[in-house]
Amino acid sequence: TTLLISLNTKFIHSNLAIRYLKNNVSNKNNKIIIKEFTINQQIDYITSEILDENPEILAFSCYIWNIEYIKKIAYIIKTARPQIKIVFGGPEVSYEMEKIMKNNGFIDYIIYGEGEKTFNDLIQYFNGEFDNLDEIKGIAYRENENILINNKQNIIINLDEIKSPYNGTENFDNKMVYYESSRGCPFSCSFCMSSIEKKVRFFSMDRVKKDLKLLLKTNARQIKFVDRTYNIDHNRSIEIMEYIIENNKNNITIHFEITANIIKKEFLDYLKTVPANMFQFEIGVQSINIKTLNEINRSMNFEKLKNVVEIIKSNNNIHQHLDLIAGLPFEDYNSFKQSFNTIHSFEIEKIQLGFLKVLKGTQMYKDRKIHKIEYLQYAPYEVIKTKYISYEEILKLKKIEELVEKYYNEMYFKDSIRYIIENLFDTPFDFYETFSNYWDKKEYYKLKHKRKKLYQILFDFIQYEKGIINDFINRLKFDYVFN
């Protein structure tokens, strides 16, 4: 028995990788079981569930959000049952394999890069179909006291050779399902692991439609495309969206990551015709600081970005999420403030404030000393400080991010926040910064608050800062009743 294990961040998430691995094992006599857990479950519960299956091989899907939990689980299982073979795979272990295996003696094998063929080959090796491990591409393993790495990877040129991760047997009730219609990214953003592979490879349209037909019959809450640049080929993008509209009878939300800079007029014109609330777009802005963008290998035409966002917004049928990253080179506190104010002024549905992760294999990892980037030495490798921004300033931004999440992204205070920013503070950032200082003073960050309490806090804050303002109170009442 082989167990494919994933630890997701939330119960509603599902893991794409382990489904690929299971469906691409060629010998169907192998018993392969998928088990998904979350990082919020007790480790003893997870190890108990795993050992109850009495596995011979245990393969973990490793990412920055779960690697520390997985190491603990794998260590316990290897100690309890040393005969179980432990396999790690995924982006978190695809670099510095020798170092990882030296530091974690319980790992028997690492599969790095694309895993479908390599995992199948390893299973066949255990079946006796390979004489030696050195015949298998894309693997690191132990031989006596040595750690050996087979340097050639399995790069799959024709993606249709890979069997689909989905076969129509799962219903995914109320879950978020991940899907890809392509691999790779045409851009070279220095902080992103997708930039390592410059070439974009596509699944055929027939394959994509076949997969989507199965997924759209489920009761999933959302299908999230993990294509790094969904709109790289606008004709293809439109064809996929048309197929989704035609077959999406269960009102599943579809999420795409797009790049505003390369959007063509034909694509924008098409977006006017799509049904409301079926699609949402995530647009990575990261910064509006030109020096920062040049350093991280991003090009950005702000007039085009603004124009694209405003046109999509005016159609009133697609949710937009815009991303910013704090801690990038040349981005100090004031520069980030300008980036935030620019994005906030677009008044889109969601602003996602992220913090730089220094990921192995990226250009940012290589350049970390140039910019004096200090970061966590364990996952998620998040920035602590840089040459340009202090840890104290990063902490301030994290508190502001929490308030943006509560008061902006949830959209329960839409009229109130618009009134506050238009009439009571010079800039959006000034409001969130002052509000954050108030939360600090009142020690609100230490507690969890129900939504009703959040209305009270905002009311008290405006009264404290600006006095009684009836226009604001009326808008707050409206938001409260409406939501």
Side-chain angles (χ1 to χ4, degrees):
T1 301
T2 299
L3 290 194
L4 284 161
I5 305 289
S6 166
L7 267 74
N8 305 323
T9 51
K10 293 180 181 175
F11 175 73
I12 64 163
H13 294 174
S14 59
N15 183 292
L16 178 61
I18 57 178
R19 288 174 170 82
Y20 268 122
L21 297 183
K22 179 180 179 179
N23 286 359
N24 281 277
V25 171
S26 54
N27 186 339
K28 298 307 173 190
N29 292 325
N30 289 283
K31 188 181 178 186
I32 297 179
I33 298 169
I34 283 176
K35 288 192 85 70
E36 293 187 274
F37 303 98
T38 78
I39 58 174
N40 304 308
Q41 289 174 303
Q42 294 290 326
I43 283 176
D44 286 346
Y45 166 76
I46 296 171
T47 53
S48 171
E49 287 283 301
I50 290 169
L51 292 175
D52 281 350
E53 298 286 350
N54 203 23
E56 295 148 292
I57 303 160
L58 202 50
F60 290 96
S61 181
C62 304
Y63 298 86
I64 54 174
W65 63 80
N66 67 17
I67 186 65
E68 298 305 324
Y69 299 90
I70 285 173
K71 283 180 187 173
K72 289 173 186 172
I73 291 162
Y75 174 78
I76 292 167
I77 285 171
K78 194 69 172 174
T79 304
R81 293 194 197 166
Q83 73 276 18
I84 295 178
K85 295 176 177 71
I86 305 278
V87 185
F88 277 24
E92 182 49 30
V93 294
S94 285
Y95 302 90
E96 301 184 350
M97 285 83 72
E98 186 175 358
K99 181 180 174 185
I100 292 166
M101 290 186 79
K102 274 183 179 171
N103 292 341
N104 301 281
F106 48 86
I107 303 173
D108 297 307
Y109 307 93
I110 287 179
I111 291 172
Y112 66 94
E114 286 184 318
E116 289 91 352
K117 284 186 176 179
T118 307
F119 182 73
N120 180 49
D121 288 349
L122 184 60
I123 295 298
Q124 304 321 327
Y125 168 77
F126 293 137
N127 290 343
E129 293 179 32
F130 281 88
D131 292 331
N132 297 301
L133 280 165
D134 62 12
E135 298 175 55
I136 300 175
K137 292 179 181 178
I139 196 166
Y141 58 99
R142 298 179 192 279
E143 196 171 88
N144 302 322
E145 297 300 309
N146 300 317
I147 293 164
L148 303 179
I149 299 170
N150 296 351
N151 286 320
K152 287 187 177 175
Q153 282 189 54
N154 272 313
I155 302 293
I156 300 155
I157 305 302
N158 177 9
L159 290 181
D160 281 10
E161 288 176 14
I162 310 168
K163 289 191 177 122
S164 173
Y166 301 111
N167 52 24
T169 59
E170 294 181 87
N171 61 25
F172 295 111
D173 282 1
N174 212 28
K175 292 255 186 169
M176 185 184 286
V177 181
Y178 293 87
Y179 183 69
E180 60 179 0
S181 69
S182 66
R183 288 185 181 179
C185 183
F187 303 110
S188 305
C189 306
S190 66
F191 55 85
C192 180
M193 294 190 84
S194 298
S195 67
I196 297 162
E197 186 194 344
K198 307 290 187 291
K199 194 173 187 301
V200 181
R201 293 163 293 150
F202 297 98
F203 288 92
S204 70
M205 193 58 75
D206 284 348
R207 163 64 181 270
V208 171
K209 288 178 179 178
K210 190 177 170 188
D211 287 345
L212 286 173
K213 192 162 193 175
L214 291 175
L215 290 176
L216 291 167
K217 284 179 179 173
T218 68
N219 294 310
R221 179 189 296 189
Q222 183 180 95
I223 298 171
K224 188 165 187 174
F225 276 64
V226 294
D227 301 47
R228 303 317 295 172
T229 311
Y230 171 71
N231 61 314
I232 187 166
D233 178 338
H234 72 277
N235 288 327
R236 178 186 167 85
S237 305
I238 290 170
E239 189 174 344
I240 290 172
M241 291 174 79
E242 282 179 337
Y243 185 81
I244 289 168
I245 292 166
E246 192 182 319
N247 292 277
N248 189 6
K249 309 301 182 195
N250 293 344
N251 297 317
I252 299 170
T253 305
I254 316 294
H255 181 102
F256 299 117
E257 288 187 37
I258 68 165
T259 299
N261 254 27
I262 62 169
I263 280 189
K264 290 195 162 78
K265 184 178 184 299
E266 300 96 308
F267 188 61
L268 278 178
D269 288 343
Y270 170 71
L271 295 181
K272 293 174 185 174
T273 70
V274 306
N277 302 322
M278 187 177 290
F279 299 108
Q280 60 186 39
F281 288 165
E282 184 175 338
I283 304 174
V285 179
Q286 319 319 357
S287 173
I288 65 154
N289 183 327
I290 299 299
K291 208 171 173 185
T292 297
L293 292 170
N294 289 337
E295 184 63 19
I296 63 173
N297 301 322
R298 277 183 81 85
S299 59
M300 181 72 69
N301 178 329
F302 288 110
E303 282 310 307
K304 179 156 189 183
L305 170 70
K306 187 178 181 188
N307 188 44
V308 163
V309 169
E310 285 179 351
I311 288 171
I312 295 172
K313 184 183 165 191
S314 70
N315 299 332
N316 205 28
N317 60 352
I318 293 173
H319 277 241
Q320 296 184 87
H321 301 178
L322 267 57
D323 299 345
L324 288 174
I325 298 177
L328 292 169
F330 301 115
E331 186 91 277
D332 61 19
Y333 187 79
N334 285 326
S335 159
F336 186 82
K337 177 178 177 177
Q338 290 171 343
S339 294
F340 179 86
N341 285 332
T342 301
I343 298 310
H344 200 288
S345 70
F346 294 164
E347 289 195 336
I348 40 80
E349 282 76 16
K350 195 167 190 176
I351 299 171
Q352 296 180 177
L353 298 189
F355 295 84
L356 177 65
K357 315 280 191 297
V358 182
L359 304 175
K360 294 185 284 271
T362 63
Q363 188 61 42
M364 188 67 70
Y365 180 75
K366 294 170 191 166
D367 293 344
R368 63 196 186 279
K369 288 181 181 167
I370 297 170
H371 300 290
K372 296 183 181 172
I373 300 172
E374 302 289 345
Y375 62 99
L376 296 175
Q377 294 303 297
Y378 50 86
Y381 315 110
E382 196 169 88
V383 64
I384 296 170
K385 65 174 186 174
T386 71
K387 192 195 284 191
Y388 319 97
I389 193 164
S390 69
Y391 179 54
E392 289 74 17
E393 288 168 330
I394 290 279
L395 287 177
K396 279 179 82 170
L397 292 178
K398 286 194 170 186
K399 287 177 175 176
I400 288 168
E401 187 257 346
E402 189 177 327
L403 295 186
V404 170
E405 195 61 41
K406 282 180 165 70
Y407 284 92
Y408 184 91
N409 289 343
E410 295 290 345
M411 299 183 76
Y412 297 133
F413 299 85
K414 204 171 171 184
D415 264 34
S416 313
I417 297 298
R418 184 184 289 125
Y419 179 86
I420 288 167
I421 283 160
E422 286 176 358
N423 298 280
L424 304 181
F425 288 86
D426 291 338
T427 71
F429 193 89
D430 289 331
F431 159 63
Y432 288 106
E433 186 179 49
T434 311
F435 196 21
S436 178
N437 293 337
Y438 179 80
W439 269 62
D440 260 339
K441 184 178 176 183
K442 297 287 187 180
E443 299 188 337
Y444 289 143
Y445 283 115
K446 295 179 180 177
L447 305 167
K448 283 191 173 181
H449 304 285
K450 291 184 177 174
R451 196 193 311 165
K452 187 174 179 181
K453 177 68 172 173
L454 294 178
Y455 285 96
Q456 183 68 52
I457 292 170
L458 185 59
F459 174 83
D460 292 344
F461 164 70
I462 295 298
Q463 187 174 340
Y464 172 80
E465 280 289 323
K466 306 290 181 181
I468 294 288
I469 297 171
N470 288 324
D471 280 352
F472 161 70
I473 294 169
N474 289 335
R475 280 163 176 77
L476 190 65
K477 282 179 182 175
F478 173 78
D479 279 331
Y480 180 79
V481 173
F482 186 77
N483 293 296

